[in-house]
């Protein structure tokens, strides 16, 4: 954990297909937000988006990083992976669209709700994906939010 | 309804979190889709599921659920029970199927979550 100019930066390596540890990074982020005394509704939204993003890296990529920056105004979440990239982002944003295998579905994921959930819970969502290289999902959650 | 009531209605076994059985439950959600659970379930709800992998506990942890009911007699591994224990989650196991478990709880007055399409609760 780096603390500089009142911004806390967290960084986690996420490993491909590691379904036992999947969620540990998000769990850690959540504990830190609790310790910082952040509003529970904000924590819930951050927990949902980090967990979905972390699962996406575990499921779809060859590995990547989860970066979280906490300042007094907002929480920024960046999920950056090396992977196949998303072929059609518009399609991937649709509820129910998924390219996940049956094995993933048996874990309770891959139902095509990940990106829609992230969109629902964040104030800003940007996806940058290049086929054959990887995907970066950037999200902001404002401390004072319009959402409940 | 308390977790203890649920234990009785479902003839359930308590795998961990016996000390929290007096906790009150306001609604229930039955699903094997963890993304749906993340999107729609609030923290006073109990989750009924047939999935017994670590992601179920993680999901519960993320949204502060305090109780999970594993249905149709599926026993999670010791590691999963320990994960629940570390997070102060009560884990129950019933032999009834998901449908029957939900039906029995509903019959006894435990309603489903209020769901408005596209709106976070």
């Amino acid at each position: 954990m780096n603390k500089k100019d009142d911004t806390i930066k967290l960084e986690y390596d996420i490993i491909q297909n590691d379904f036992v540890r999947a969620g540990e990074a998000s769990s850690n982020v959540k504990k830190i937000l609790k310790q910082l005394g952040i509003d529970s509704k904000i924590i819930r939204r951050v927990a949902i988006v980090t967990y979905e993003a972390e699962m996406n890296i575990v499921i779809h990529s060859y590995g990547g990083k989860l970066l979280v920056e906490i300042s007094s105004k907002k929480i920024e979440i960046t999920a950056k992976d090396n992977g196949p990239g998303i072929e059609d982002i518009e399609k991937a944003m649709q509820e129910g669209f998924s390219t996940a295998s049956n094995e993933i579905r048996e874990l309770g994921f891959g139902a095509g709700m990940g990106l829609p959930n992230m969109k629902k819970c964040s104030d800003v969502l940007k996806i940058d994906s290049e086929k054959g290289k990887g995907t970066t999902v950037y999200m902001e959650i404002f401390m004072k939010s319009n959402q409940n | 309804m308390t977790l203890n009531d649920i234990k009785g209605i479902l003839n359930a076994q308590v795998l961990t979190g016996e000390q929290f059985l007096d906790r009150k439950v306001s609604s229930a959600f039955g699903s094997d889709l963890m993304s749906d659970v993340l999107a729609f379930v609030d923290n006073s709800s109990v989750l009924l599921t047939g999935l017994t992998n670590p992601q179920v506990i993680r999901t519960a942890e993320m949204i502060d659920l305090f109780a999970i009911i594993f249905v149709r007699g599926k026993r999670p591994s010791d590691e999963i029970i320990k994960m629940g224990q570390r997070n102060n989650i009560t884990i129950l196991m019933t032999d009834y199927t998901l449908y029957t478990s939900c039906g029995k709880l509903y019959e006894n007055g435990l309603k489903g979550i209020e769901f408005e399409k596209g709106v976070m609760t």
Side-chain angles (χ1 to χ4, degrees):
Chain A
M1 202 195 300
N2 288 314
K3 203 172 179 181
K4 206 173 146 189
D5 304 331
D6 288 334
T7 299
I8 297 169
K9 289 186 181 180
L10 311 168
E11 185 177 330
Y12 305 89
D13 285 317
I14 314 295
I15 302 157
Q16 175 193 17
N17 285 334
D18 186 349
F19 293 106
V20 177
R21 287 187 52 201
E24 267 184 17
S26 306
S27 165
N28 193 271
V29 170
K30 190 179 179 228
K31 281 186 187 117
I32 289 166
L33 294 179
K34 257 191 182 166
Q35 282 164 12
L36 291 170
I38 310 268
D39 180 80
S40 64
K41 280 178 182 165
I42 303 277
I43 294 181
R44 182 189 161 98
R45 290 168 57 206
V46 174
I48 291 171
V49 304
T50 53
Y51 187 41
E52 290 280 13
E54 187 177 356
M55 287 309 293
N56 268 356
I57 297 177
V58 173
I59 292 166
H60 296 288
S61 83
Y62 312 138
K65 276 185 193 300
L66 182 72
L67 307 154
V68 179
E69 278 196 55
I70 307 153
S71 70
S72 57
K73 290 212 168 104
K74 63 187 175 187
I75 299 172
E76 293 167 88
I77 300 111
T78 309
K80 194 173 161 54
D81 69 48
N82 302 309
I86 302 172
E87 202 150 326
D88 187 338
I89 292 177
E90 213 175 296
K91 249 189 186 171
M93 290 304 299
Q94 288 171 13
E95 288 189 6
F97 178 83
S98 177
T99 58
S101 65
N102 280 335
E103 194 192 348
I104 301 302
R105 287 168 206 255
E106 279 163 21
L107 291 171
F109 286 87
M113 289 301 291
L115 286 172
N117 266 358
M118 286 183 234
K119 192 177 179 199
K120 224 180 275 176
C121 293
S122 58
D123 293 301
V124 173
L125 171 78
K126 286 178 195 156
I127 304 172
D128 190 20
S129 188
E130 198 179 332
K131 219 184 149 191
K133 287 234 167 126
T135 301
T136 301
V137 179
Y138 172 81
M139 289 170 284
E140 289 181 7
I141 291 173
F142 303 147
M143 289 298 191
K144 279 185 187 160
S145 173
N146 303 325
Q147 285 193 37
N148 288 319
Chain B
M1 189 181 285
T2 65
L3 291 176
N4 204 33
D5 297 331
I6 292 176
K7 182 192 165 201
I9 294 164
L10 297 181
N11 196 15
Q13 212 178 313
V14 183
L15 302 182
T16 185
E18 182 107 45
Q19 69 272 38
F20 306 122
L21 284 180
D22 56 350
R23 279 175 170 169
K24 279 204 167 69
V25 176
S26 66
S27 57
F29 193 76
S31 181
D32 288 352
L33 289 180
M34 292 303 116
S35 281
D36 279 2
V37 177
L38 285 172
F40 304 120
V41 182
D42 68 56
N43 53 13
S44 57
S45 302
V46 61
L47 170 66
L48 295 101
T49 185
L51 270 189
T52 53
N53 63 49
Q55 266 65 51
V56 177
I57 310 286
R58 287 278 181 227
T59 300
E61 185 193 345
M62 289 304 145
I63 54 174
D64 295 317
L65 295 184
F66 57 77
I68 300 168
I69 301 161
F70 290 111
V71 298
R72 63 184 130 87
K74 287 177 86 178
R75 180 182 283 274
S77 70
D78 287 348
E79 186 47 45
I80 289 169
I81 295 170
K82 273 184 207 148
M83 264 177 90
Q85 195 177 18
R86 281 198 294 272
N87 287 290
N88 293 331
I89 293 169
T90 298
I91 299 180
L92 301 175
M93 186 180 76
T94 176
D95 284 337
Y96 294 118
T97 63
L98 183 57
Y99 183 78
T100 305
S101 303
C102 292
K104 281 185 178 288
L105 293 179
Y106 197 90
E107 200 176 47
N108 280 276
L110 185 63
K111 300 289 188 221
I113 58 160
E114 294 292 326
F115 169 70
E116 230 178 294
K117 198 171 182 341
V119 177
M120 281 282 297
T121 50

